[in-house]
Amino acid sequence: MAHQTIRYALEDGVASIALNRPDKLNAFVPEMHDELREALAGAPAAGARAVFLTGEGRGFCAGQDLGQRKGGETPDLSETLDKFYNPLIRTIRDLKVPVVCAVNGVAAGAGMSLALACDIVYAARSATFLQAFVKIGLAPDSGSTWFLPRLAGTARAKGLAMLGEKITAEQAFEWGLIWKVVEDERVKDEALGLARHLATQPTKALGAIKQAIDGAWARDLDAALDHERDMQGALGRTGDYREGVEAFFGKRKPAFRGT
Ligand code: LHQ
């Protein structure tokens, strides 16, 4: 499929996706939603064992393209969320391979939610994050009301959401919103390198880890123990578990195949 609003490449088991509307700081339009969602959802079947997501130009993603929201009529935002944003966030969370994100510049509104939905998030030192929603009379969406209190705590979640102020990458790191801050010129290479590494790891275990940790908020300890029992039972029957144990005793590096 030829893409108009994203760049896509599949190499070394990694689906690399770059949001590609740099003049608008990669703000979302329906075409970008469709292309991004399809690229993500189709990545494992295309052979990807990890996904790398970033933005072209100086921004990561400025959320909804507000140019599409000017004018008289009152849009139905529930419909927009139902049709575009919620399926996108669900696609990322349901994906059975890890999604590594390099936030190369500003991540605003649903652009920040998008980053928070990813599994491992790097940010360029100069990147900023803001819950821009309130500045235009809205409340956070695309998962931010769920991600923020869980990652950063209620006080910071409310401060971020109610003030809509920019925070730095360093602050996002200190608050537990992201994994790592990297110098601007290195951030994409480093995050892509991590995605390449993950693509050589036991894919089924990575998928299980993602599912177990994302689902942990909905489970009490008893249910988590049961979940781990079932998960480990299934992983114990994978080729990668066999390979991992054989490699350990063979004193060699395991060659995981994702099977
Ligand atoms: C943009 C945008 C943009 C269009 C920068 N749209 N052009 C879900 C459901 C349905 C509806 C509503 O929304 C949602 C979810 C949401 O995401 S709501 C939140 C929407 N996003 C925002 O409110 C952020 C708006 N943008 C900004 O506040 C600033 O642009 C940030 C802080 C992101 C960056 O500021 P600067 O670095 O100073 O850049 P800039 O403002 O000069 O922007 C550069 C260009 O990008 C500029 O165009 P121009 O032609 O003047 O160079 C902006 O108009 C354009 N742009 N964001 N969201």
Side-chain angles (χ1 to χ4, degrees), residues 57-112:
R58 73 174 175 90
F60 171 66
C61 176
Q64 169 70 30
D65 188 319
L66 298 174
Q68 300 216 320
R69 297 292 173 181
K70 284 192 286 198
E73 78 202 84
T74 309
D76 184 342
L77 300 192
S78 310
E79 197 179 285
T80 309
L81 292 179
D82 246 350
K83 192 163 173 202
F84 295 111
Y85 289 88
N86 292 355
L88 171 62
I89 301 302
R90 288 187 176 117
T91 297
I92 293 173
R93 301 297 271 200
D94 291 346
L95 218 54
K96 296 205 165 45
V97 299
V99 181
V100 179
C101 179
V103 178
N104 53 300
V106 65
M112 179 169 175

Side-chain angles (χ1 to χ4, degrees), residues 9-230:
L10 181 66
E11 204 187 338
D12 297 334
V14 177
S16 295
I17 304 171
L19 307 178
N20 192 22
R21 302 187 69 233
D23 295 349
K24 302 290 177 196
L25 303 179
N26 303 317
F28 273 109
V29 287
E31 296 83 343
M32 196 167 91
H33 271 289
D34 290 343
E35 291 186 355
L36 176 58
R37 201 180 53 248
E38 277 171 32
L40 286 164
R49 289 168 63 189
V51 171
F52 168 66
L53 177 66
T54 192
E56 291 290 338
R58 73 174 175 90
F60 171 66
C61 176
Q64 169 70 30
D65 188 319
L66 298 174
Q68 300 216 320
R69 297 292 173 181
K70 284 192 286 198
E73 78 202 84
T74 309
D76 184 342
L77 300 192
S78 310
E79 197 179 285
T80 309
L81 292 179
D82 246 350
K83 192 163 173 202
F84 295 111
Y85 289 88
N86 292 355
L88 171 62
I89 301 302
R90 288 187 176 117
T91 297
I92 293 173
R93 301 297 271 200
D94 291 346
L95 218 54
K96 296 205 165 45
V97 299
V99 181
V100 179
C101 179
V103 178
N104 53 300
V106 65
M112 179 169 175
S113 309
L114 172 65
L116 298 182
C118 296
D119 297 308
I120 298 197
V121 185
Y122 283 66
R125 191 165 297 285
S126 71
T128 51
F129 295 80
L130 68 151
Q131 290 282 307
F133 308 90
V134 73
K135 301 274 190 193
I136 53 167
L138 296 179
D141 64 29
S142 309
S144 269
T145 64
W146 194 90
F147 298 127
L148 289 175
R150 284 171 171 79
L151 295 172
T154 315
R156 285 165 175 162
K158 285 187 182 163
L160 283 167
M162 289 186 168
L163 303 177
E165 287 174 1
K166 274 185 189 169
I167 59 165
T168 62
E170 196 58 44
Q171 188 129 46
F173 170 72
E174 279 165 17
W175 287 5
L177 294 169
I178 62 169
W179 173 242
K180 214 170 179 185
V181 182
V182 178
E183 297 316 314
D184 290 14
E185 59 282 8
R186 296 261 333 124
V187 70
K188 288 189 184 181
D189 284 350
E190 206 166 305
L192 178 58
L194 184 86
R196 286 199 175 122
H197 164 73
L198 289 173
T200 66
Q201 295 304 295
T203 307
K204 289 190 173 165
L206 295 178
I209 291 167
K210 173 170 174 161
Q211 216 180 17
I213 291 180
D214 288 346
W217 304 104
R219 296 187 192 102
D220 58 20
L221 176 60
D222 221 34
L225 291 170
D226 286 348
H227 181 86
E228 289 172 359
R229 175 201 59 212
D230 297 343

